[in-house]
């Protein structure tokens, strides 16, 4: 079974100049935990997840602390998020390598990448690195289960 | 290289088949099959038919709310060759209701207007549209526009496509067509359901049809197709003007979706790389005739059937 057989053929994406609020809305509209970032020619240049945005909104000092339970101000996250909602992705996002697969890669390879990198979904690109689809963990499992049923029927 | 279809105002189509439809009466349906639900809107219909013909394509436009999500999911679920790329708006997508009466052979259609599209929504759509054009070869622009979108939007879409040397096909009502013509689309098929008006003129005699077709040609449209008397077409290319007529008698009740099947046929021909416009019109009509053999909107057409139908089209030169 190949990636192209199980991927969701949707090329919803955002650009580096899009503001955070828009990115969150796009994720919500499509019921996704993240979306690919593409350039003007639809080539994948990154991926932004809800988790990335949340960590961008968390106060920097939290990383140094063991627990947040003693911080009295519960508004901190809200205030920071409100402050950066209008900022563009390129100003907020920390650069990181985007994990991509090809339509002709195997489903096993995709599953391996998802597990090793601890991510929710994989970006699928063509030979020119253009976005052609997406593979989520659930979609992958569902496709594998259904595929298995079909092979049983044919036996 | 792919085909792009633009449906600015998609719909969830609901087809209800009943006997002796009457206003002011209660109708009970015999079974679930009498009530069908499918993604619709003219561009989306073309996408679905292209999928049947094995042509990969990207469907674009605006969707909103729960109805929008259903349209998108249904579109992908049943069609392997379709990639979705929709821009979401705040309001709900529309639903189109079609009541098909088999007893009296009538069709009653109720098309809703659609969600409001803001300037910001439009800018986001245009950005994604340009991204998709960068690797497409044919762009189909079809159907009505939702509230909030400028009447000359199709002109802008054609201009962007031409900048990127993407072939453009437009199938829309006269009021949306006229400004688009200034940008020089390649193929134009006016949507003549309802008013028989073109470029602001009312079409009555066959001469009116020929004049309009010639005017389109002057505006550098490579192929103009104007439907005449239910199932016939006046077709104009650089080489001349013709009257196309299928041998088969077409029932009025079966015309649902034939305009979209026509466009799918034309795209199928052009996608293979041929550039004989008159031949493209023939394949378009053959595809439409095949679609018209049944009353339902969604009729699977295959290329062998289209090829078979090509023999049954009579062509007469008008100019």
């Amino acid at each position: 079974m190949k990636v192209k057989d199980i991927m969701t053929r949707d090329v919803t994406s955002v650009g580096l100049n899009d503001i955070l609020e828009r990115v969150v809305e796009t994720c919500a509209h499509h019921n996704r935990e993240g979306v690919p970032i593409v350039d003007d020619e639809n080539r994948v240049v990154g991926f932004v997840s809800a988790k990335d945005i949340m960590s961008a909104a968390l106060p920097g000092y939290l990383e140094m602390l063991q627990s947040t339970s003693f911080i009295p101000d519960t508004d901190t996250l809200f205030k920071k998020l409100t402050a950066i909602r209008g900022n563009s992705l390129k100003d907020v996002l920390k650069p990181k390598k985007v994990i991509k697969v090809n339509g002709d890669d195997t489903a096993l390879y995709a599953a391996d990448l998802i597990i090793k990198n601890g991510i929710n979904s994989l970006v699928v690109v063509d030979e020119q690195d253009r976005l052609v689809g997406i593979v989520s963990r659930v979609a992958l499992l569902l496709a594998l289960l259904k595929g298995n049923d079909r092979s049983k029927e044919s036996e | 290289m792919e085909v792009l279809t633009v449906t600015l105002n998609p719909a969830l189509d609901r087809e209800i088949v009943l006997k002796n439809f009457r206003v002011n009466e209660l109708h009970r349906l015999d079974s679930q099959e009498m009530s069908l639900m499918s993604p619709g809107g003219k561009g989306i219909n073309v996408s679905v038919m292209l999928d049947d013909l094995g042509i990969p394509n990207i469907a674009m436009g605006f969707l909103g709310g729960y109805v929008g999500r259903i349209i998108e999911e249904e579109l992908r679920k049943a069609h392997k060759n379709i990639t979705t790329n929709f821009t979401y708006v705040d309001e709900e997508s529309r639903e189109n209701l079609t009541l098909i009466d088999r007893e009296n052979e009538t069709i009653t259609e109720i098309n809703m207007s659609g969600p409001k599209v803001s300037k910001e929504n439009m800018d986001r759509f245009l950005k994604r549209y340009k991204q998709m054009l960068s690797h497409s070869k044919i762009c189909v622009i079809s159907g009505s526009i939702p509230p909030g979108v400028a009447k000359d939007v199709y002109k802008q879409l054609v201009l962007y496509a031409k900048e990127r040397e993407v072939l453009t096909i437009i199938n829309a009502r006269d009021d949306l067509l006229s400004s688009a013509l200034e940008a020089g689309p390649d193929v134009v098929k006016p949507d003549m359901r309802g008013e028989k008006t073109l470029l602001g003129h009312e079409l009555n005699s066959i001469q009116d049809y020929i004049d309009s077709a010639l005017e389109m040609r002057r505006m550098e449209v490579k192929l103009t197709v104007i439907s005449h008397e239910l199932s016939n077409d006046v077709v104009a290319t650089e080489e001349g003007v013709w009257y196309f007529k299928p041998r088969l008698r077409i029932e009025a009740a079966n015309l649902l979706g034939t305009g979209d099947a026509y466009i799918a046929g034309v795209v199928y021909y052009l996608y293979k790389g041929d550039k004989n416009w008159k031949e493209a019109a023939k394949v378009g009509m053959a595809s439409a005739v095949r679609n018209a053999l049944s009353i339902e909107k969604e009729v699977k057409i295959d290329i062998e059937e289209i090829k078979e139908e090509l023999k049954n089209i009579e062509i007469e030169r008008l100019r």
Side-chain angles (χ1 to χ4, degrees):
Chain A
M1 193 179 277
K2 288 185 173 174
V3 166
K4 64 180 174 199
D5 303 318
I6 58 171
M7 70 177 181
T8 305
R9 289 170 200 273
D10 182 78
V11 289
T12 296
S13 62
V14 291
L16 279 171
N17 290 321
D18 281 336
I19 60 167
L20 280 196
E21 190 172 7
R22 200 71 56 243
V23 176
V24 175
E25 277 173 15
T26 305
C27 289
H29 281 140
H30 293 266
N31 205 14
R32 296 254 192 86
E33 282 293 312
V35 273
I37 309 170
V38 300
D39 68 7
D40 288 345
E41 244 102 68
N42 196 33
R43 283 184 298 251
V44 175
V45 295
F47 188 89
V48 54
S49 68
K51 199 168 124 196
D52 296 332
I53 293 175
M54 215 174 262
S55 56
L58 281 176
Y61 59 78
L62 280 188
E63 280 173 31
M64 289 179 278
L65 304 171
Q66 294 292 315
S67 162
T68 54
S69 58
F70 61 87
I71 302 175
D73 183 10
T74 45
D75 277 349
T76 314
L77 178 62
F78 169 74
K79 277 182 186 155
K80 186 81 192 288
L81 192 60
T82 310
I84 61 169
R85 70 197 286 178
N87 290 14
S88 66
L89 271 186
K90 66 173 186 298
D91 295 333
V92 178
L93 224 56
K94 291 187 195 114
K96 64 170 184 200
K97 203 173 155 271
V98 48
I99 299 142
K100 297 174 276 193
V101 281
N102 216 273
D104 285 320
D105 288 333
T106 63
L108 180 67
Y109 176 66
D112 186 44
L113 277 181
I114 286 176
I115 298 300
K116 277 196 180 133
N117 295 285
I119 46 177
N120 249 325
S121 47
L122 277 174
V123 175
V124 189
V125 293
D126 67 6
E127 311 78 51
Q128 275 100 45
D129 227 21
R130 289 182 305 224
L131 178 64
V132 293
I134 201 153
V135 177
S136 74
R137 291 196 289 220
V138 174
L140 179 65
L141 288 175
L142 200 64
L144 288 169
L145 287 172
K146 281 187 180 167
N148 216 8
D149 283 348
R150 239 176 279 140
S151 63
K152 266 183 210 153
E153 280 164 22
S154 61
E155 269 166 23
Chain B
M1 283 307 215
E2 290 186 80
V3 176
L4 198 61
T5 69
V6 176
T7 316
L8 294 185
N9 204 6
L12 187 63
D13 282 349
R14 289 176 180 275
E15 274 180 44
I16 295 172
V17 182
L18 31 71
K19 286 173 193 152
N20 282 319
F21 169 66
R22 280 214 189 95
V23 187
N24 241 350
E25 263 181 37
L26 170 69
H27 301 80
R28 288 189 202 278
L29 304 182
D30 302 336
S31 70
Q32 286 279 11
E33 289 91 70
M34 298 284 106
S35 163
L36 295 172
M37 185 177 83
S38 63
K42 291 175 73 59
I44 285 179
N45 294 345
V46 173
S47 266
V48 169
M49 290 165 185
L50 287 175
D51 173 63
D52 289 343
L53 294 169
I55 296 179
N57 64 85
I58 301 168
M60 296 193 80
F62 297 105
L63 290 177
Y66 296 110
V67 178
R69 286 274 282 280
I70 299 172
I71 295 172
E72 187 181 301
E73 301 244 328
E74 285 291 313
L75 202 51
R76 275 201 308 265
K77 204 169 73 185
H79 310 286
K80 256 195 82 154
N81 291 309
I82 298 178
T83 295
T84 49
N85 188 358
F86 288 95
T87 303
Y88 273 76
V89 298
D90 291 337
E91 294 180 3
E92 284 283 320
S93 281
R94 64 186 180 139
E95 292 179 62
N96 283 348
L97 189 65
T98 306
L99 304 172
I100 299 175
D101 183 346
R102 283 208 171 123
E103 209 82 0
N104 300 311
E105 295 215 333
T106 63
I107 288 188
T108 310
E109 290 178 86
I110 301 169
N111 288 4
M112 298 178 196
S113 77
K116 197 170 172 345
V117 171
S118 67
K119 194 193 165 286
E120 202 188 354
N121 296 143
M122 194 65 204
D123 289 344
R124 288 168 73 192
F125 166 80
L126 287 175
K127 191 177 149 206
R128 290 162 79 162
Y129 175 65
K130 285 186 246 177
Q131 284 168 348
M132 293 300 111
L133 283 175
S134 72
H135 50 95
S136 299
K137 69 173 183 182
I138 300 175
C139 177
V140 175
I141 302 165
S142 218
S144 68
I145 58 171
V149 173
K151 280 253 169 174
D152 64 351
V153 61
Y154 287 171
K155 178 184 173 182
Q156 205 176 357
L157 297 187
V158 173
L159 281 176
Y160 285 137
K162 292 207 95 164
E163 270 171 27
R164 288 158 183 82
E165 292 177 19
V166 177
L167 203 141
T168 47
I169 301 178
I170 297 202
N171 180 205
R173 283 193 328 253
D174 191 40
D175 55 336
L176 298 174
L177 260 186
S178 23
S179 69
L181 286 168
E182 292 167 26
D186 298 286
V187 179
V188 175
K189 188 178 191 299
D191 182 358
M192 305 279 277
R193 297 173 303 171
E195 285 168 35
K196 302 266 175 287
T197 324
L198 206 49
L199 300 162
H201 309 299
E202 210 178 299
L203 304 187
N204 295 309
S205 69
I206 188 75
Q207 192 57 45
D208 294 342
Y209 283 77
I210 297 171
D211 290 345
S212 288
L214 288 172
E215 201 173 332
M216 296 271 210
R217 194 168 75 179
R218 275 195 294 278
M219 297 175 102
E220 283 169 29
V221 177
K222 300 199 177 66
L223 170 64
T224 305
V225 181
I226 313 175
S227 33
H228 183 250
E229 286 180 354
L230 214 66
S231 59
N232 309 336
D233 290 326
V234 173
V235 174
T237 74
E238 275 168 27
E239 277 94 46
V241 183
W242 292 272
Y243 197 70
F244 280 45
K245 191 179 173 183
R247 287 216 176 88
L248 230 66
R249 205 181 82 86
I250 308 287
E251 302 291 338
N254 292 7
L255 287 178
L256 202 61
T258 50
D260 305 325
Y262 192 104
I263 300 296
V266 171
V267 172
Y268 177 84
Y269 176 83
L270 296 172
Y271 184 76
K272 303 282 157 195
D274 296 312
K275 278 273 165 70
N276 182 330
W277 300 105
K278 189 181 161 197
E279 212 47 43
K282 250 174 95 173
V283 179
M285 180 174 259
S287 164
V289 169
R290 275 288 150 174
N291 183 277
L293 293 182
S294 159
I295 197 161
E296 277 84 11
K297 181 193 87 176
E298 226 159 289
V299 188
K300 283 223 168 180
I301 36 170
D302 74 51
I303 197 60
E304 289 314 311
E305 286 178 349
I306 292 178
K307 279 181 185 155
E308 191 56 38
E309 205 54 55
L310 283 173
K311 299 172 197 151
N312 295 320
I313 295 171
E314 288 171 24
I315 300 175
E316 184 197 329
R317 194 171 187 123
L318 296 169
R319 270 293 180 86

